[in-house]
Amino acid sequence: MLTPIEEVKSRLDIVEVLSGYIKLSKAGSNFKAVCPFHSEKSPSFMVSPARQIWHCFGCGEGGDIFKFVMKIEGLEFGDALRNLAQRAGVILKREDPQIRTERNKLLDICRAATEYFRKNLEQNNEVKSYLKKRGLKDETIDEFKIGYSPDSSWDGLLKFLAAKNFQPQDIEKAGLAVKSEKNSTGYFDRFRGRIMFPIANSSGEIIGFGGRIFEGKSEGKKVKSDEAKYINSPQTLIYDKSRVLYGFDKAKIDIRKNNFTVLVEGYMDLIMCHQAGVKNAVAVSGTAMTRDHLQILKRLSDNIYFSFDMDNAGEAATKRAIDAALSEEFNIKVIIVPSGKDPADFILEHPDKWEYQIKNARGFMEFYFDNVLSKNNLETAQGKKDVSKILLLQIKKIKNRVEQSHWISLLSQKLKIKPEALEEEIAKIKTNDFLDSDSARQIVKENKQKPREELLGERIVACVLKDPKLKKDIVGLEIEPILCYPSGQLLSILQKAEDDLLEQIKEEAEHLLDYANQLLFSLDAMEEIESLEEEIKFCLKEFKIHFLKEQLNKISFQIQEAEESLDEKSLATLMQQFKNLSQELHQALDPLVTE
Ligand SMILES: [Zn+2]
């Protein structure tokens, strides 16, 4: 019988699963992509449908679908298994301790709470008719699992969840209850009297909520006293606000298909957008736009359309979001919503015109230029100075030089100022005026190269696995120096192995089987290899040279020590060893000497 892991693997195709996160393009019998785990321009991330594994030649990461989902979603193995099992339709036994984790408990609480909120909405005609008035169809309310948290009691949700055996401490950890300040053992519901928007992670599991105040008959007039119009779940173990985009789970496929993201501001904007058929839309919820948000979107497309309230283009949050997107080298467009409405209100009135607005989105710089130019008097010296100051700062942020010079020459025409003068001004702007600490993090993320002996060992393993006849070449190989690496361990197994090499690895070191498969794949993906025999010969020679050099280094160090301590006897032995090794190295390096 298959284990749950094997069962999941057999039902899901790696290309399909990975396509949900990154843009894959065909490359021979494999697929390639820009690696989501390190920063790169040209794709070195390869996927093998035949072997059902992936490997990045840039940063060395690789593995199966589980490893990928764990890494990209930041999950533990048990959660990745649960996530993929759900997609594969494989039922896992609930008592399996591997998947009973803290995270799952919180996910269960959020799922049950969603059910509670929906049930309450079902029973509340006032809220239902309000949602209808805002333009939401029943199917949409179902699709987004919108609900209502009643304000008839302080602990309606807590009681509902207690009946399902959830502890108040865990409900608090899930962000749904707040500890009472007056009574040390008491808790109350965080959300009361609010329309509830469940927030899902990228695989559609509910991890938090946004709650919009509902005021019944006085709705739309004035917000009650000092209560916030919107409140959100706090940051929890399962809800990392800096990485979650509202609607992403429903939008990711369409973002990739359309090759752009529509970014809106609020829950209602997003939902109306999807209802109007624009399904490649996401919203930032409960936090400002972060670099992580952008990187998640960047994996799917380089193009982003902002539909933020542009009357506030000068407003700090919008400006920062756009600047961050520019520095991530997104192509940015701005969707203009006529008469300064929210997208939600505009769509309510003109559901069929929304797509037109999107098609006619304007390039960000074009939009920003017009906006700044229209607000200043270009005839005066002061006006020209102000305009150039604002626009040059923006132009400086564009990373592409050609694009940069395009905007400088346009600005020079508008202001009737020589481009040279503008070039001079732009050179004065210091780039660190707008660089932030994120660039430091980027550097840390640069890949760590494996030591050369390990890489050579990997290549040798791959050659032998690919063509078992080559096993004869490694029989006498001195592998002691690389036994500390997985490739060294594989080599020691292969040296002794009889026939089916992969089978032998599975028997002796099952944990290395995936790794061995990856090495095989990495060989497949290297197109420049013509003959495996030549390749392994080359690697073995390099391997030998590498270790001779290492040994020579070590001995010359020992010679130095022996000289300093006047140890004549050791010195003589060491000198002899040095001479022998040098000779060996000389032979290995000289292509004319046959061994
Ligand atoms: Zn990589």
Side-chain angles (χ1 to χ4, degrees), residues 35 38 56 59:
C35 179
H38 82 280
C56 173
C59 62

Side-chain angles (χ1 to χ4, degrees), residues 284-333:
V284 173
S285 67
T287 173
M289 182 79 150
T290 68
R291 197 143 297 211
D292 282 335
H293 288 138
L294 288 166
Q295 273 167 359
I296 289 165
L297 295 175
K298 185 97 185 188
R299 285 174 201 149
L300 301 176
S301 170
D302 289 339
N303 304 304
I304 195 162
Y305 291 21
F306 278 80
S307 180
F308 282 15
D309 186 352
M310 281 301 164
D311 279 346
N312 296 332
E315 199 214 297
T318 307
K319 195 76 175 42
R320 263 204 305 275
I322 288 179
D323 283 349
L326 282 173
S327 77
E328 291 289 319
E329 296 190 64
F330 274 98
N331 305 311
I332 301 178
K333 288 195 173 183

Side-chain angles (χ1 to χ4, degrees), residues 191-344:
F191 298 97
R192 294 183 316 277
R194 287 176 183 272
I195 295 167
M196 300 300 294
F197 300 96
I199 297 164
N201 62 18
S202 65
S203 28
E205 294 169 314
I206 290 159
I207 52 176
F209 296 87
R212 182 202 183 277
I213 201 157
F214 180 73
E215 316 193 84
K217 293 196 175 58
S218 53
E219 187 56 55
K221 281 167 200 150
K222 210 175 122 244
V223 173
K224 232 188 279 176
S225 60
D226 54 353
E227 279 190 78
K229 189 169 179 193
Y230 281 95
I231 59 172
N232 275 81
S233 295
Q235 186 93 358
T236 68
L237 182 66
I238 52 174
Y239 179 30
D240 179 355
K241 293 187 183 192
S242 67
R243 297 181 52 84
V244 172
L245 290 154
Y246 182 59
F248 183 75
D249 57 314
K250 296 184 168 59
K252 58 186 180 184
I253 303 283
D254 285 86
I255 291 173
R256 199 163 34 78
K257 214 161 63 191
N258 292 296
N259 196 20
F260 70 94
T261 303
V262 172
L263 195 66
V264 295
E265 272 176 307
Y267 300 105
M268 280 302 288
D269 291 339
L270 178 108
I271 295 170
M272 289 300 281
C273 213
H274 276 246
Q275 186 174 284
V278 175
K279 294 192 182 290
N280 51 331
V282 298
V284 173
S285 67
T287 173
M289 182 79 150
T290 68
R291 197 143 297 211
D292 282 335
H293 288 138
L294 288 166
Q295 273 167 359
I296 289 165
L297 295 175
K298 185 97 185 188
R299 285 174 201 149
L300 301 176
S301 170
D302 289 339
N303 304 304
I304 195 162
Y305 291 21
F306 278 80
S307 180
F308 282 15
D309 186 352
M310 281 301 164
D311 279 346
N312 296 332
E315 199 214 297
T318 307
K319 195 76 175 42
R320 263 204 305 275
I322 288 179
D323 283 349
L326 282 173
S327 77
E328 291 289 319
E329 296 190 64
F330 274 98
N331 305 311
I332 301 178
K333 288 195 173 183
V334 175
I335 302 167
I336 314 284
V337 185
S339 59
K341 282 194 163 63
D342 282 347

Side-chain angles (χ1 to χ4, degrees), residues 460-477:
I460 294 168
V461 169
C463 288
V464 176
L465 286 175
K466 183 88 182 170
D467 181 0
K469 284 200 300 295
L470 298 175
K471 209 168 70 72
K472 63 178 188 336
D473 292 341
I474 60 162
V475 171
L477 183 67

